[in-house]
């Protein structure tokens, strides 16, 4: 009887090993494989995964709004963060510390600044570092306004209008007819400008600014279940698992769990002869 149970146990172990080995080559979901292996690398940024996508990394591997593009030039490659239009991408990614969820962005076509929707996108998607402060620029102003700010003007890259930096905007009611936009800058650089230690506001802008992002609770749950986070056309979040996508997290394989449980119980029976305990547990 002992030899029979030993043979059955060996058979179960063999089946268990086959189940473990087969998914790694034939049964793993293609979306999971793609998103865990196709990471974004460009210039000084490497091996970037969710929530970003772009340049060979499929859209469903990240969030739709966080597309990265690698721009190639004679002096090197530069990662760029795109907001809707590749031709109007305003920010280069100066650094991206993926494991710390921190990014340093800088203006791509300095001294051009985004004057319309891009500043709103930045605010909606990222959290600003405590070292960052928003400053206001006015544009589309009547011709008789802001002549004394000409030394601190930049250009709206959407339509090439002049934009002017103004501090303490609430104290200047005459600017109510102008359009306005905010641009993030490092507070330390702005303080140096206000102290007269930096010549122009363009030098402040040129230093860029830091933002951070957070993983959603669903993504954290997905990662804890050994899945990888992604998205789809119908859902902003999808957990990509080895055995297929899920909205919540990766579940244990029913067959694998059953084999493990059977092996444990048969081992218990063969070792202790506890046939009653084996069968009543099923």
């Amino acid at each position: 009887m002992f030899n029979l149970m030993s043979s059955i146990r060996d058979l179960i172990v063999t089946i268990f090993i086959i189940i473990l080995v087969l998914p790694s080559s034939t049964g793993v979901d293609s979306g999971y494989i793609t998103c865990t292996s196709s990471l974004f690398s460009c210039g000084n940024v490497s091996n970037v995964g969710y929530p970003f996508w772009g340049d060979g990394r499929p859209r469903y591997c990240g969030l739709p709004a966080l597309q990265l593009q690698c721009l190639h030039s004679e002096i090197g490659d530069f990662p760029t963060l795109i907001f809707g239009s590749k031709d109007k991408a305003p920010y280069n990614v100066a650094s991206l510390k993926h494991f710390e969820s921190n990014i340093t962005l800088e203006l791509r076509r300095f001294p051009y600044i985004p004057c319309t929707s891009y500043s709103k996108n930045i605010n909606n998607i990222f959290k600003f570092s405590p070292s960052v402060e928003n400053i206001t620029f006015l544009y589309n102003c009547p011709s008789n306004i802001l002549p004394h700010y000409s030394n601190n003007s930049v250009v709206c890259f959407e339509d090439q209008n002049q934009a002017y930096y103004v501090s303490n905007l609430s104290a200047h009611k005459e600017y109510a007819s102008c359009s306005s936009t905010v641009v993030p800058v490092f507070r330390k650089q702005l303080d140096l400008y206000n102290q007269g230690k930096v010549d122009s506001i363009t030098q402040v802008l040129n230093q860029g600014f830091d933002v951070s992002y957070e993983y959603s609770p669903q993504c954290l749950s997905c990662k804890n279940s050994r899945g990888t986070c992604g998205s789809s056309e119908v859902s902003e979040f999808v957990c990509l698992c080895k055995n297929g996508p899920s909205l919540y997290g990766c579940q244990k394989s029913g067959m694998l769990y059953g084999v493990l449980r059977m092996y444990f119980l048969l081992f218990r029976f063969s070792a202790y002869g506890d046939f009653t305990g084996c069968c009543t547990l099923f």
Side-chain angles (χ1 to χ4, degrees), residues 188-220:
K188 182 178 180 180
Q189 292 296 317
L190 183 61
D191 290 343
L192 291 174
Y193 168 77
N194 291 332
Q195 295 166 14
K197 297 179 181 179
V198 173
D199 293 335
S200 69
I201 201 65
T202 55
Q203 291 178 262
V204 177
L205 290 169
N206 199 32
Q207 299 302 311
F209 58 94
D210 285 347
V211 295
S212 63
Y213 56 92
E214 294 182 347
Y215 293 109
S216 67
Q218 298 98 315
C219 182
L220 293 175

Side-chain angles (χ1 to χ4, degrees), residues 23-128:
S24 64
S25 57
T26 61
V28 180
D29 181 72
S30 60
Y32 174 88
I33 294 175
T34 299
C35 292
T36 52
S37 61
S38 300
L39 302 177
F40 179 88
S41 294
C42 175
N44 61 342
V45 169
S46 60
N47 298 324
V48 174
Y50 184 88
F52 300 97
W53 64 281
D55 273 27
R57 179 173 169 80
R59 180 186 178 95
Y60 63 80
C61 293
L63 293 177
L66 294 181
Q67 182 182 1
L68 295 173
Q69 180 186 30
C70 190
L71 298 180
H72 307 285
S73 71
E74 295 180 355
I75 61 174
D77 297 336
F78 299 94
T80 299
L81 183 62
I82 295 173
F83 286 111
S85 172
K86 294 183 180 180
D87 296 329
K88 296 182 177 180
Y91 296 113
N92 283 335
V93 180
S95 70
L96 200 163
K97 300 175 182 177
H98 196 46
F99 292 102
E100 299 175 17
S101 302
N102 291 329
I103 313 172
T104 300
L105 299 175
E106 60 184 19
L107 291 166
R108 172 185 167 193
R109 292 187 286 178
F110 188 78
Y112 291 82
I113 67 167
C115 291
T116 55
S117 61
Y118 293 102
S119 59
K120 294 179 182 179
N121 284 336
I122 287 283
N123 282 287
N124 291 337
I125 295 172
F126 296 114
K127 292 180 63 177
F128 289 115

Side-chain angles (χ1 to χ4, degrees), residues 59-60 62-64 230-239 245-247:
R59 180 186 178 95
Y60 63 80
L63 293 177
S231 62
S232 72
E233 295 295 330
V234 296
S235 175
E236 189 173 86
F237 173 78
V238 171
C239 183
S246 168
L247 292 178

